[in-house]
């Protein structure tokens, strides 16, 4: 039956690449759970999350509930309290009393203007990098995407002036306008995806003039057209 002792401020565990962190959230029993004893470990019936609800971890990371449907709760990563952080990990899930809740997106402007941020690890459940998510992160050098990313939003890495290389993961279908605008030291873009369908206007404007875009052999012809006239200098080369 429903364990009334689980109601209140409870510990939640965040997992990423074998590392864990904890934070607390307010847990309440639904009317049906408290009256009928339907709550159970491993289901979200005892976690009364509402769409738009905000929770914060002990390191200052902020999350918003994206959905709570069919017994599955998903979150969007909104940013971190410490704007001087040098390294940030966006976890692939939150574990709330045994319930796995995926972190599926990074919010627009989540890290915008964090000038000391150097390294970002993106969890494997994250599908979308929001618009201007890392805009103006002028010290950003290392970005490690998780395997599930499908979309890199408009201006996502705008004016990340110390970024020298980036790997576009295998499931990406869309790179937004001005995604890498003003990344003047970006010299190497490695495209792993064979699913890319669109690259927005000026996505590559202002990248290094000797940059190389490495694409899959089978997509070379298609991607040569796809990346054409996206703001980059004519000296930027596409190779297979």
């Amino acid at each position: 039956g429903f364990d009334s002792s689980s109601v209140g401020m409870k510990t939640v565990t965040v997992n990423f690449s074998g590392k864990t962190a904890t934070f607390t959230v307010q847990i309440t029993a639904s009317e049906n759970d408290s009256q009928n004893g339907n709550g159970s470990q491993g289901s979200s019936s005892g976690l009364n999350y509402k769409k738009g609800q905000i929770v914060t971890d002990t390191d200052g990371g902020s999350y918003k509930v994206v959905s709570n449907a069919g017994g599955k709760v998903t979150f969007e990563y909104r940013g971190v309290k410490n704007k001087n952080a040098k390294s940030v990990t966006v976890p692939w899930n939150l574990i709330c009393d045994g319930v796995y809740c995926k972190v599926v997106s990074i919010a627009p402007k989540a890290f915008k203007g964090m000038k000391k941020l150097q390294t970002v690890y993106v969890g494997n459940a994250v599908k979308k990098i929001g618009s201007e998510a890392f805009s103006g992160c002028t010290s950003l050098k290392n970005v490690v995407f998780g395997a599930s990313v499908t979309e890199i939003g408009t201006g996502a890495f705008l004016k990340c002036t110390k970024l020298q290389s980036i790997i576009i993961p295998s499931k990406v279908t869309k790179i937004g306008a001005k995604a890498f605008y003003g990344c003047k030291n970006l010299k190497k873009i490695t495209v792993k995806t064979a699913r890319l369908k669109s690259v927005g206007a000026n996505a590559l404007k202002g990248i290094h003039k000797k940059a190389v875009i490495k694409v899959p052999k089978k997509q070379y012809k298609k991607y040569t057209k796809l990346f054409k006239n996206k703001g980059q200098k004519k000296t930027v080369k596409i190779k297979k």
Side-chain angles (χ1 to χ4, degrees):
F2 178 75
D3 180 4
S4 62
S5 66
S6 67
V7 176
M9 298 304 293
K10 301 297 291 182
T11 298
V12 175
T13 304
V14 176
N15 281 357
F16 183 88
S17 297
K19 298 179 181 180
T20 61
T22 61
F23 63 92
T24 55
V25 295
Q26 180 68 41
I27 297 176
T28 60
S30 68
E31 184 177 356
N32 288 338
D33 286 336
S34 59
Q35 290 181 0
N36 301 329
N38 291 328
S40 63
Q41 187 75 5
S43 100
S44 60
S45 57
L47 301 178
N48 190 22
Y49 288 116
K50 295 181 179 180
K51 186 176 180 179
Q53 181 179 345
I54 306 298
V55 297
T56 306
D57 66 25
T58 53
D59 292 327
S62 179
Y63 306 80
K64 181 175 73 173
V65 176
V66 175
S67 67
N68 185 354
K72 294 183 179 180
V73 180
T74 59
F75 287 93
E76 176 177 72
Y77 193 93
R78 300 176 67 244
V80 65
K81 185 176 181 180
N82 180 13
K83 301 304 180 184
N84 292 316
K86 292 183 179 180
S87 179
V88 173
T89 295
V90 179
W92 72 273
N93 72 9
L94 312 181
I95 304 175
C96 309
D97 278 7
V99 179
Y100 285 81
C101 304
K102 291 182 178 181
V103 180
V104 297
S105 60
I106 297 176
K109 302 182 180 179
F111 301 95
K112 185 176 181 178
M114 288 180 59
K115 298 185 182 300
K116 294 186 178 181
L117 184 62
Q118 297 177 15
T119 302
V120 174
Y121 299 97
V122 178
N124 275 333
V126 173
K127 295 181 178 181
K128 182 177 181 179
I129 312 297
S131 59
E132 297 184 51
F134 298 96
S135 173
C137 294
T138 52
S139 296
L140 187 62
K141 296 179 180 179
N142 306 301
V143 179
V144 181
F145 287 121
S148 296
V149 174
T150 61
E151 181 178 345
I152 299 172
T154 299
F157 294 93
L158 189 145
K159 294 185 178 179
C160 291
T161 52
K162 287 193 177 180
L163 190 65
Q164 295 185 20
S165 64
I166 196 82
I167 295 175
I168 309 299
S170 62
K171 293 184 180 179
V172 172
T173 61
K174 180 180 180 181
I175 298 174
K178 295 186 176 181
F180 299 101
Y181 183 102
C183 295
K184 63 181 182 180
N185 287 307
L186 184 56
K187 296 179 181 180
K188 185 178 181 181
I189 301 173
T190 303
V191 180
K192 296 287 190 180
T193 179
R195 307 178 185 184
L196 191 61
K197 295 180 179 179
S198 66
V199 178
N202 292 318
L204 305 177
K205 187 175 179 64
I207 67 171
H208 197 279
K209 64 181 181 180
K210 293 185 179 180
V212 173
I213 304 169
K214 187 176 181 181
V215 302
K217 290 181 180 180
K218 291 183 179 180
Q219 277 72 40
Y220 177 75
K221 186 175 181 180
K222 176 183 177 182
Y223 284 6
T224 297
K225 294 180 180 179
L226 199 57
F227 281 103
K228 187 177 181 179
N229 297 327
K230 300 304 177 182
Q232 72 271 36
K233 297 284 188 182
K234 292 182 179 180
T235 49
V236 173
K237 295 183 179 180
I238 298 176
K239 296 183 178 181
K240 55 186 174 181

